[in-house]
PDB file of all heavy atoms in Angstrom:
ATOM      1  N   ILE A  46     -37.587   2.094  -7.289  1.00 98.00           N
ATOM      2  CA  ILE A  46     -38.062   2.547  -8.599  1.00 98.00           C
ATOM      3  C   ILE A  46     -39.516   2.122  -8.780  1.00 98.00           C
ATOM      4  O   ILE A  46     -39.886   0.992  -8.443  1.00 98.00           O
ATOM      5  CB  ILE A  46     -37.177   1.988  -9.725  1.00 98.00           C
ATOM      6  CG1 ILE A  46     -35.748   2.564  -9.588  1.00 98.00           C
ATOM      7  CG2 ILE A  46     -37.754   2.296 -11.098  1.00 98.00           C
ATOM      8  CD1 ILE A  46     -34.769   2.051 -10.617  1.00 98.00           C
ATOM      9  N   ASN A  47     -40.322   3.029  -9.320  1.00 97.00           N
ATOM     10  CA  ASN A  47     -41.744   2.734  -9.449  1.00 97.00           C
ATOM     11  C   ASN A  47     -42.014   1.689 -10.529  1.00 97.00           C
ATOM     12  O   ASN A  47     -41.230   1.525 -11.473  1.00 97.00           O
ATOM     13  CB  ASN A  47     -42.521   4.027  -9.727  1.00 97.00           C
ATOM     14  CG  ASN A  47     -42.364   4.505 -11.163  1.00 97.00           C
ATOM     15  OD1 ASN A  47     -43.007   4.005 -12.084  1.00 97.00           O
ATOM     16  ND2 ASN A  47     -41.493   5.490 -11.377  1.00 97.00           N
ATOM     17  N   HIS A  48     -43.151   1.001 -10.377  1.00 94.00           N
ATOM     18  CA  HIS A  48     -43.500  -0.076 -11.302  1.00 94.00           C
ATOM     19  C   HIS A  48     -44.048   0.421 -12.634  1.00 94.00           C
ATOM     20  O   HIS A  48     -44.187  -0.374 -13.561  1.00 94.00           O
ATOM     21  CB  HIS A  48     -44.532  -1.009 -10.640  1.00 94.00           C
ATOM     22  CG  HIS A  48     -43.908  -2.158  -9.930  1.00 94.00           C
ATOM     23  ND1 HIS A  48     -44.596  -2.961  -9.052  1.00 94.00           N
ATOM     24  CD2 HIS A  48     -42.648  -2.643  -9.952  1.00 94.00           C
ATOM     25  CE1 HIS A  48     -43.787  -3.901  -8.577  1.00 94.00           C
ATOM     26  NE2 HIS A  48     -42.599  -3.711  -9.104  1.00 94.00           N
ATOM     27  N   ARG A  49     -44.341   1.706 -12.726  1.00 95.00           N
ATOM     28  CA  ARG A  49     -44.812   2.234 -14.002  1.00 95.00           C
ATOM     29  C   ARG A  49     -43.654   2.369 -14.987  1.00 95.00           C
ATOM     30  O   ARG A  49     -43.781   2.013 -16.165  1.00 95.00           O
ATOM     31  CB  ARG A  49     -45.476   3.597 -13.796  1.00 95.00           C
ATOM     32  CG  ARG A  49     -46.149   4.151 -15.046  1.00 95.00           C
ATOM     33  CD  ARG A  49     -46.936   5.394 -14.720  1.00 95.00           C
ATOM     34  NE  ARG A  49     -46.066   6.567 -14.576  1.00 95.00           N
ATOM     35  CZ  ARG A  49     -46.461   7.707 -14.017  1.00 95.00           C
ATOM     36  NH1 ARG A  49     -47.684   7.818 -13.517  1.00 95.00           N
ATOM     37  NH2 ARG A  49     -45.631   8.739 -13.934  1.00 95.00           N
ATOM     38  N   ASP A  50     -42.530   2.868 -14.511  1.00 96.00           N
ATOM     39  CA  ASP A  50     -41.372   3.040 -15.384  1.00 96.00           C
ATOM     40  C   ASP A  50     -40.629   1.731 -15.617  1.00 96.00           C
ATOM     41  O   ASP A  50     -40.167   1.472 -16.734  1.00 96.00           O
ATOM     42  CB  ASP A  50     -40.416   4.070 -14.786  1.00 96.00           C
ATOM     43  CG  ASP A  50     -40.897   5.492 -15.000  1.00 96.00           C
ATOM     44  OD1 ASP A  50     -42.067   5.780 -14.690  1.00 96.00           O
ATOM     45  OD2 ASP A  50     -40.117   6.314 -15.490  1.00 96.00           O
ATOM     46  N   ILE A  51     -40.466   0.941 -14.561  1.00 97.00           N
ATOM     47  CA  ILE A  51     -39.776  -0.350 -14.697  1.00 97.00           C
ATOM     48  C   ILE A  51     -40.644  -1.415 -14.046  1.00 97.00           C
ATOM     49  O   ILE A  51     -40.486  -1.725 -12.858  1.00 97.00           O
ATOM     50  CB  ILE A  51     -38.369  -0.325 -14.058  1.00 97.00           C
ATOM     51  CG1 ILE A  51     -37.518   0.808 -14.657  1.00 97.00           C
ATOM     52  CG2 ILE A  51     -37.670  -1.662 -14.284  1.00 97.00           C
ATOM     53  CD1 ILE A  51     -36.090   0.856 -14.133  1.00 97.00           C
ATOM     54  N   PRO A  52     -41.592  -1.976 -14.790  1.00 96.00           N
ATOM     55  CA  PRO A  52     -42.447  -3.031 -14.227  1.00 96.00           C
ATOM     56  C   PRO A  52     -41.614  -4.209 -13.722  1.00 96.00           C
ATOM     57  O   PRO A  52     -40.679  -4.659 -14.393  1.00 96.00           O
ATOM     58  CB  PRO A  52     -43.318  -3.442 -15.419  1.00 96.00           C
ATOM     59  CG  PRO A  52     -43.310  -2.248 -16.327  1.00 96.00           C
ATOM     60  CD  PRO A  52     -41.942  -1.650 -16.182  1.00 96.00           C
ATOM     61  N   GLY A  53     -41.945  -4.672 -12.520  1.00 96.00           N
ATOM     62  CA  GLY A  53     -41.259  -5.829 -11.969  1.00 96.00           C
ATOM     63  C   GLY A  53     -39.978  -5.531 -11.232  1.00 96.00           C
ATOM     64  O   GLY A  53     -39.296  -6.466 -10.760  1.00 96.00           O
ATOM     65  N   PHE A  54     -39.604  -4.247 -11.093  1.00 98.00           N
ATOM     66  CA  PHE A  54     -38.370  -3.936 -10.375  1.00 98.00           C
ATOM     67  C   PHE A  54     -38.481  -4.407  -8.937  1.00 98.00           C
ATOM     68  O   PHE A  54     -39.520  -4.262  -8.293  1.00 98.00           O
ATOM     69  CB  PHE A  54     -38.092  -2.431 -10.421  1.00 98.00           C
ATOM     70  CG  PHE A  54     -36.677  -2.070 -10.065  1.00 98.00           C
ATOM     71  CD1 PHE A  54     -35.641  -2.313 -10.946  1.00 98.00           C
ATOM     72  CD2 PHE A  54     -36.376  -1.482  -8.840  1.00 98.00           C
ATOM     73  CE1 PHE A  54     -34.335  -1.984 -10.620  1.00 98.00           C
ATOM     74  CE2 PHE A  54     -35.083  -1.146  -8.504  1.00 98.00           C
ATOM     75  CZ  PHE A  54     -34.047  -1.404  -9.395  1.00 98.00           C
ATOM     76  N   PHE A  55     -37.404  -4.982  -8.413  1.00 98.00           N
ATOM     77  CA  PHE A  55     -37.459  -5.658  -7.120  1.00 98.00           C
ATOM     78  C   PHE A  55     -37.677  -4.698  -5.946  1.00 98.00           C
ATOM     79  O   PHE A  55     -38.374  -5.023  -4.987  1.00 98.00           O
ATOM     80  CB  PHE A  55     -36.173  -6.450  -6.891  1.00 98.00           C
ATOM     81  CG  PHE A  55     -36.145  -7.211  -5.596  1.00 98.00           C
ATOM     82  CD1 PHE A  55     -36.949  -8.322  -5.414  1.00 98.00           C
ATOM     83  CD2 PHE A  55     -35.326  -6.806  -4.553  1.00 98.00           C
ATOM     84  CE1 PHE A  55     -36.941  -9.025  -4.212  1.00 98.00           C
ATOM     85  CE2 PHE A  55     -35.303  -7.503  -3.350  1.00 98.00           C
ATOM     86  CZ  PHE A  55     -36.108  -8.609  -3.179  1.00 98.00           C
ATOM     87  N   LEU A  56     -37.082  -3.514  -6.013  1.00 98.00           N
ATOM     88  CA  LEU A  56     -37.141  -2.574  -4.894  1.00 98.00           C
ATOM     89  C   LEU A  56     -38.054  -1.407  -5.276  1.00 98.00           C
ATOM     90  O   LEU A  56     -37.750  -0.649  -6.199  1.00 98.00           O
ATOM     91  CB  LEU A  56     -35.737  -2.043  -4.569  1.00 98.00           C
ATOM     92  CG  LEU A  56     -35.614  -1.109  -3.364  1.00 98.00           C
ATOM     93  CD1 LEU A  56     -35.935  -1.840  -2.064  1.00 98.00           C
ATOM     94  CD2 LEU A  56     -34.209  -0.503  -3.298  1.00 98.00           C
ATOM     95  N   ASN A  57     -39.165  -1.257  -4.561  1.00 96.00           N
ATOM     96  CA  ASN A  57     -40.174  -0.277  -4.967  1.00 96.00           C
ATOM     97  C   ASN A  57     -40.423   0.859  -3.991  1.00 96.00           C
ATOM     98  O   ASN A  57     -40.776   1.954  -4.415  1.00 96.00           O
ATOM     99  CB  ASN A  57     -41.518  -0.975  -5.209  1.00 96.00           C
ATOM    100  CG  ASN A  57     -41.433  -2.069  -6.233  1.00 96.00           C
ATOM    101  OD1 ASN A  57     -41.848  -3.185  -5.975  1.00 96.00           O
ATOM    102  ND2 ASN A  57     -40.885  -1.761  -7.395  1.00 96.00           N
ATOM    103  N   THR A  58     -40.289   0.636  -2.702  1.00 97.00           N
ATOM    104  CA  THR A  58     -40.671   1.670  -1.742  1.00 97.00           C
ATOM    105  C   THR A  58     -39.485   2.114  -0.887  1.00 97.00           C
ATOM    106  O   THR A  58     -38.523   1.365  -0.669  1.00 97.00           O
ATOM    107  CB  THR A  58     -41.789   1.173  -0.803  1.00 97.00           C
ATOM    108  OG1 THR A  58     -41.258   0.191   0.101  1.00 97.00           O
ATOM    109  CG2 THR A  58     -42.944   0.583  -1.590  1.00 97.00           C
ATOM    110  N   THR A  59     -39.608   3.330  -0.385  1.00 97.00           N
ATOM    111  CA  THR A  59     -38.560   3.853   0.485  1.00 97.00           C
ATOM    112  C   THR A  59     -38.494   3.083   1.798  1.00 97.00           C
ATOM    113  O   THR A  59     -37.412   2.941   2.378  1.00 97.00           O
ATOM    114  CB  THR A  59     -38.792   5.346   0.756  1.00 97.00           C
ATOM    115  OG1 THR A  59     -40.109   5.539   1.294  1.00 97.00           O
ATOM    116  CG2 THR A  59     -38.647   6.155  -0.516  1.00 97.00           C
ATOM    117  N   ALA A  60     -39.623   2.561   2.253  1.00 97.00           N
ATOM    118  CA  ALA A  60     -39.614   1.773   3.495  1.00 97.00           C
ATOM    119  C   ALA A  60     -38.805   0.492   3.314  1.00 97.00           C
ATOM    120  O   ALA A  60     -38.049   0.090   4.209  1.00 97.00           O
ATOM    121  CB  ALA A  60     -41.046   1.445   3.919  1.00 97.00           C
ATOM    122  N   GLU A  61     -38.981  -0.163   2.155  1.00 97.00           N
ATOM    123  CA  GLU A  61     -38.183  -1.369   1.880  1.00 97.00           C
ATOM    124  C   GLU A  61     -36.696  -1.027   1.852  1.00 97.00           C
ATOM    125  O   GLU A  61     -35.866  -1.751   2.430  1.00 97.00           O
ATOM    126  CB  GLU A  61     -38.595  -1.958   0.528  1.00 97.00           C
ATOM    127  CG  GLU A  61     -39.988  -2.545   0.481  1.00 97.00           C
ATOM    128  CD  GLU A  61     -40.411  -2.896  -0.936  1.00 97.00           C
ATOM    129  OE1 GLU A  61     -39.867  -2.323  -1.902  1.00 97.00           O
ATOM    130  OE2 GLU A  61     -41.292  -3.764  -1.065  1.00 97.00           O
ATOM    131  N   ALA A  62     -36.364   0.058   1.177  1.00 98.00           N
ATOM    132  CA  ALA A  62     -34.957   0.450   1.082  1.00 98.00           C
ATOM    133  C   ALA A  62     -34.386   0.793   2.449  1.00 98.00           C
ATOM    134  O   ALA A  62     -33.266   0.374   2.792  1.00 98.00           O
ATOM    135  CB  ALA A  62     -34.823   1.641   0.138  1.00 98.00           C
ATOM    136  N   ALA A  63     -35.139   1.529   3.263  1.00 98.00           N
ATOM    137  CA  ALA A  63     -34.653   1.915   4.582  1.00 98.00           C
ATOM    138  C   ALA A  63     -34.410   0.698   5.460  1.00 98.00           C
ATOM    139  O   ALA A  63     -33.434   0.643   6.226  1.00 98.00           O
ATOM    140  CB  ALA A  63     -35.647   2.860   5.250  1.00 98.00           C
ATOM    141  N   SER A  64     -35.286  -0.308   5.353  1.00 97.00           N
ATOM    142  CA  SER A  64     -35.123  -1.525   6.140  1.00 97.00           C
ATOM    143  C   SER A  64     -33.834  -2.252   5.775  1.00 97.00           C
ATOM    144  O   SER A  64     -33.092  -2.726   6.642  1.00 97.00           O
ATOM    145  CB  SER A  64     -36.335  -2.441   5.926  1.00 97.00           C
ATOM    146  OG  SER A  64     -36.167  -3.654   6.624  1.00 97.00           O
ATOM    147  N   ILE A  65     -33.555  -2.329   4.491  1.00 97.00           N
ATOM    148  CA  ILE A  65     -32.328  -2.998   4.021  1.00 97.00           C
ATOM    149  C   ILE A  65     -31.100  -2.214   4.456  1.00 97.00           C
ATOM    150  O   ILE A  65     -30.111  -2.787   4.939  1.00 97.00           O
ATOM    151  CB  ILE A  65     -32.382  -3.151   2.493  1.00 97.00           C
ATOM    152  CG1 ILE A  65     -33.461  -4.158   2.097  1.00 97.00           C
ATOM    153  CG2 ILE A  65     -31.019  -3.600   1.938  1.00 97.00           C
ATOM    154  CD1 ILE A  65     -33.841  -4.129   0.635  1.00 97.00           C
ATOM    155  N   ILE A  66     -31.148  -0.903   4.306  1.00 98.00           N
ATOM    156  CA  ILE A  66     -30.008  -0.065   4.689  1.00 98.00           C
ATOM    157  C   ILE A  66     -29.751  -0.150   6.191  1.00 98.00           C
ATOM    158  O   ILE A  66     -28.602  -0.237   6.638  1.00 98.00           O
ATOM    159  CB  ILE A  66     -30.252   1.389   4.255  1.00 98.00           C
ATOM    160  CG1 ILE A  66     -30.229   1.485   2.720  1.00 98.00           C
ATOM    161  CG2 ILE A  66     -29.215   2.326   4.860  1.00 98.00           C
ATOM    162  CD1 ILE A  66     -30.724   2.806   2.185  1.00 98.00           C
ATOM    163  N   GLU A  67     -30.812  -0.145   6.964  1.00 97.00           N
ATOM    164  CA  GLU A  67     -30.657  -0.233   8.418  1.00 97.00           C
ATOM    165  C   GLU A  67     -29.999  -1.547   8.813  1.00 97.00           C
ATOM    166  O   GLU A  67     -29.156  -1.592   9.722  1.00 97.00           O
ATOM    167  CB  GLU A  67     -32.017  -0.090   9.087  1.00 97.00           C
ATOM    168  CG  GLU A  67     -31.931   0.184  10.568  1.00 97.00           C
ATOM    169  CD  GLU A  67     -33.235   0.715  11.130  1.00 97.00           C
ATOM    170  OE1 GLU A  67     -34.301   0.333  10.621  1.00 97.00           O
ATOM    171  OE2 GLU A  67     -33.174   1.515  12.080  1.00 97.00           O
ATOM    172  N   ALA A  68     -30.367  -2.630   8.117  1.00 97.00           N
ATOM    173  CA  ALA A  68     -29.780  -3.932   8.429  1.00 97.00           C
ATOM    174  C   ALA A  68     -28.302  -4.000   8.062  1.00 97.00           C
ATOM    175  O   ALA A  68     -27.500  -4.613   8.776  1.00 97.00           O
ATOM    176  CB  ALA A  68     -30.556  -5.029   7.704  1.00 97.00           C
ATOM    177  N   LEU A  69     -27.929  -3.367   6.955  1.00 98.00           N
ATOM    178  CA  LEU A  69     -26.544  -3.418   6.488  1.00 98.00           C
ATOM    179  C   LEU A  69     -25.672  -2.349   7.121  1.00 98.00           C
ATOM    180  O   LEU A  69     -24.446  -2.471   7.162  1.00 98.00           O
ATOM    181  CB  LEU A  69     -26.497  -3.268   4.970  1.00 98.00           C
ATOM    182  CG  LEU A  69     -27.091  -4.424   4.164  1.00 98.00           C
ATOM    183  CD1 LEU A  69     -27.226  -4.049   2.690  1.00 98.00           C
ATOM    184  CD2 LEU A  69     -26.236  -5.677   4.310  1.00 98.00           C
ATOM    185  N   GLY A  70     -26.328  -1.287   7.604  1.00 98.00           N
ATOM    186  CA  GLY A  70     -25.594  -0.175   8.212  1.00 98.00           C
ATOM    187  C   GLY A  70     -25.597   1.039   7.311  1.00 98.00           C
ATOM    188  O   GLY A  70     -25.026   0.994   6.218  1.00 98.00           O
ATOM    189  N   PRO A  71     -26.246   2.141   7.724  1.00 97.00           N
ATOM    190  CA  PRO A  71     -26.315   3.336   6.881  1.00 97.00           C
ATOM    191  C   PRO A  71     -24.971   4.000   6.636  1.00 97.00           C
ATOM    192  O   PRO A  71     -24.837   4.814   5.729  1.00 97.00           O
ATOM    193  CB  PRO A  71     -27.261   4.267   7.657  1.00 97.00           C
ATOM    194  CG  PRO A  71     -27.255   3.745   9.059  1.00 97.00           C
ATOM    195  CD  PRO A  71     -27.014   2.279   8.964  1.00 97.00           C
ATOM    196  N   GLU A  72     -23.977   3.635   7.425  1.00 98.00           N
ATOM    197  CA  GLU A  72     -22.636   4.137   7.154  1.00 98.00           C
ATOM    198  C   GLU A  72     -21.986   3.389   5.989  1.00 98.00           C
ATOM    199  O   GLU A  72     -21.000   3.862   5.410  1.00 98.00           O
ATOM    200  CB  GLU A  72     -21.760   4.034   8.414  1.00 98.00           C
ATOM    201  CG  GLU A  72     -21.315   2.631   8.778  1.00 98.00           C
ATOM    202  CD  GLU A  72     -22.408   1.787   9.434  1.00 98.00           C
ATOM    203  OE1 GLU A  72     -23.520   2.304   9.669  1.00 98.00           O
ATOM    204  OE2 GLU A  72     -22.131   0.597   9.717  1.00 98.00           O
ATOM    205  N   ARG A  73     -22.565   2.234   5.602  1.00 98.00           N
ATOM    206  CA  ARG A  73     -21.991   1.404   4.544  1.00 98.00           C
ATOM    207  C   ARG A  73     -22.773   1.506   3.239  1.00 98.00           C
ATOM    208  O   ARG A  73     -22.196   1.392   2.151  1.00 98.00           O
ATOM    209  CB  ARG A  73     -21.962  -0.065   4.995  1.00 98.00           C
ATOM    210  CG  ARG A  73     -21.182  -0.301   6.271  1.00 98.00           C
ATOM    211  CD  ARG A  73     -21.315  -1.745   6.734  1.00 98.00           C
ATOM    212  NE  ARG A  73     -20.640  -2.656   5.815  1.00 98.00           N
ATOM    213  CZ  ARG A  73     -21.191  -3.744   5.305  1.00 98.00           C
ATOM    214  NH1 ARG A  73     -22.452  -4.059   5.584  1.00 98.00           N
ATOM    215  NH2 ARG A  73     -20.504  -4.521   4.494  1.00 98.00           N
ATOM    216  N   VAL A  74     -24.086   1.659   3.327  1.00 98.00           N
ATOM    217  CA  VAL A  74     -24.962   1.720   2.161  1.00 98.00           C
ATOM    218  C   VAL A  74     -25.911   2.892   2.339  1.00 98.00           C
ATOM    219  O   VAL A  74     -26.441   3.102   3.434  1.00 98.00           O
ATOM    220  CB  VAL A  74     -25.771   0.414   1.987  1.00 98.00           C
ATOM    221  CG1 VAL A  74     -26.710   0.506   0.779  1.00 98.00           C
ATOM    222  CG2 VAL A  74     -24.846  -0.788   1.860  1.00 98.00           C
ATOM    223  N   GLY A  75     -26.113   3.673   1.283  1.00 98.00           N
ATOM    224  CA  GLY A  75     -26.982   4.836   1.369  1.00 98.00           C
ATOM    225  C   GLY A  75     -28.210   4.715   0.488  1.00 98.00           C
ATOM    226  O   GLY A  75     -28.336   3.798  -0.329  1.00 98.00           O
ATOM    227  N   LEU A  76     -29.116   5.660   0.663  1.00 98.00           N
ATOM    228  CA  LEU A  76     -30.342   5.723  -0.122  1.00 98.00           C
ATOM    229  C   LEU A  76     -30.198   6.757  -1.232  1.00 98.00           C
ATOM    230  O   LEU A  76     -29.805   7.897  -0.981  1.00 98.00           O
ATOM    231  CB  LEU A  76     -31.520   6.101   0.769  1.00 98.00           C
ATOM    232  CG  LEU A  76     -32.871   6.332   0.066  1.00 98.00           C
ATOM    233  CD1 LEU A  76     -33.371   5.057  -0.588  1.00 98.00           C
ATOM    234  CD2 LEU A  76     -33.907   6.873   1.053  1.00 98.00           C
ATOM    235  N   GLN A  77     -30.503   6.345  -2.438  1.00 98.00           N
ATOM    236  CA  GLN A  77     -30.646   7.272  -3.555  1.00 98.00           C
ATOM    237  C   GLN A  77     -32.128   7.623  -3.620  1.00 98.00           C
ATOM    238  O   GLN A  77     -32.944   6.847  -4.098  1.00 98.00           O
ATOM    239  CB  GLN A  77     -30.172   6.608  -4.852  1.00 98.00           C
ATOM    240  CG  GLN A  77     -30.217   7.501  -6.073  1.00 98.00           C
ATOM    241  CD  GLN A  77     -29.543   6.843  -7.259  1.00 98.00           C
ATOM    242  OE1 GLN A  77     -28.451   6.285  -7.140  1.00 98.00           O
ATOM    243  NE2 GLN A  77     -30.179   6.893  -8.413  1.00 98.00           N
ATOM    244  N   PHE A  78     -32.454   8.795  -3.103  1.00 98.00           N
ATOM    245  CA  PHE A  78     -33.851   9.207  -2.951  1.00 98.00           C
ATOM    246  C   PHE A  78     -34.278   9.984  -4.183  1.00 98.00           C
ATOM    247  O   PHE A  78     -33.949  11.154  -4.342  1.00 98.00           O
ATOM    248  CB  PHE A  78     -34.012  10.043  -1.684  1.00 98.00           C
ATOM    249  CG  PHE A  78     -35.428  10.444  -1.385  1.00 98.00           C
ATOM    250  CD1 PHE A  78     -36.360   9.507  -0.985  1.00 98.00           C
ATOM    251  CD2 PHE A  78     -35.826  11.771  -1.493  1.00 98.00           C
ATOM    252  CE1 PHE A  78     -37.681   9.874  -0.701  1.00 98.00           C
ATOM    253  CE2 PHE A  78     -37.135  12.156  -1.209  1.00 98.00           C
ATOM    254  CZ  PHE A  78     -38.061  11.203  -0.819  1.00 98.00           C
ATOM    255  N   ASP A  79     -35.010   9.315  -5.057  1.00 98.00           N
ATOM    256  CA  ASP A  79     -35.497   9.930  -6.290  1.00 98.00           C
ATOM    257  C   ASP A  79     -36.920  10.414  -6.055  1.00 98.00           C
ATOM    258  O   ASP A  79     -37.835   9.609  -5.873  1.00 98.00           O
ATOM    259  CB  ASP A  79     -35.438   8.914  -7.431  1.00 98.00           C
ATOM    260  CG  ASP A  79     -35.710   9.542  -8.786  1.00 98.00           C
ATOM    261  OD1 ASP A  79     -36.673  10.322  -8.888  1.00 98.00           O
ATOM    262  OD2 ASP A  79     -34.981   9.234  -9.744  1.00 98.00           O
ATOM    263  N   LEU A  80     -37.098  11.726  -6.056  1.00 98.00           N
ATOM    264  CA  LEU A  80     -38.406  12.294  -5.731  1.00 98.00           C
ATOM    265  C   LEU A  80     -39.449  11.952  -6.785  1.00 98.00           C
ATOM    266  O   LEU A  80     -40.640  11.869  -6.480  1.00 98.00           O
ATOM    267  CB  LEU A  80     -38.298  13.807  -5.557  1.00 98.00           C
ATOM    268  CG  LEU A  80     -37.752  14.268  -4.199  1.00 98.00           C
ATOM    269  CD1 LEU A  80     -36.236  14.139  -4.156  1.00 98.00           C
ATOM    270  CD2 LEU A  80     -38.138  15.708  -3.899  1.00 98.00           C
ATOM    271  N   TYR A  81     -39.022  11.741  -8.012  1.00 98.00           N
ATOM    272  CA  TYR A  81     -39.947  11.343  -9.081  1.00 98.00           C
ATOM    273  C   TYR A  81     -40.548   9.974  -8.787  1.00 98.00           C
ATOM    274  O   TYR A  81     -41.770   9.792  -8.798  1.00 98.00           O
ATOM    275  CB  TYR A  81     -39.205  11.338 -10.412  1.00 98.00           C
ATOM    276  CG  TYR A  81     -39.931  10.652 -11.544  1.00 98.00           C
ATOM    277  CD1 TYR A  81     -40.975  11.286 -12.220  1.00 98.00           C
ATOM    278  CD2 TYR A  81     -39.560   9.368 -11.952  1.00 98.00           C
ATOM    279  CE1 TYR A  81     -41.630  10.651 -13.270  1.00 98.00           C
ATOM    280  CE2 TYR A  81     -40.205   8.735 -12.997  1.00 98.00           C
ATOM    281  CZ  TYR A  81     -41.250   9.386 -13.652  1.00 98.00           C
ATOM    282  OH  TYR A  81     -41.900   8.748 -14.683  1.00 98.00           O
ATOM    283  N   HIS A  82     -39.711   9.004  -8.495  1.00 98.00           N
ATOM    284  CA  HIS A  82     -40.210   7.654  -8.193  1.00 98.00           C
ATOM    285  C   HIS A  82     -41.051   7.658  -6.921  1.00 98.00           C
ATOM    286  O   HIS A  82     -42.091   6.988  -6.847  1.00 98.00           O
ATOM    287  CB  HIS A  82     -39.046   6.676  -8.052  1.00 98.00           C
ATOM    288  CG  HIS A  82     -38.314   6.421  -9.328  1.00 98.00           C
ATOM    289  ND1 HIS A  82     -38.937   5.930 -10.444  1.00 98.00           N
ATOM    290  CD2 HIS A  82     -37.005   6.582  -9.662  1.00 98.00           C
ATOM    291  CE1 HIS A  82     -38.052   5.793 -11.425  1.00 98.00           C
ATOM    292  NE2 HIS A  82     -36.869   6.185 -10.966  1.00 98.00           N
TER     293      HIS A  82
END
């Protein structure tokens, strides 16, 4: 989620999310890809 809408949100970029998902397993956790953010 972008910092303009929710300042201070912990997860900001798709790269960060992809890294976490890859570590946990994409079969177990997925990405909610919001094109606006």
Side-chain angles (χ1 to χ4, degrees):
I46 296 178
N47 76 79
H48 268 167
R49 187 172 78 195
D50 282 50
I51 304 183
F54 197 74
F55 181 71
L56 184 66
N57 303 128
T58 71
T59 55
E61 292 170 337
S64 177
I65 291 165
I66 292 169
E67 195 163 32
L69 293 169
E72 73 283 357
R73 302 174 68 230
V74 179
L76 175 64
Q77 183 171 314
F78 184 70
D79 189 314
L80 280 79
Y81 167 78
H82 292 302

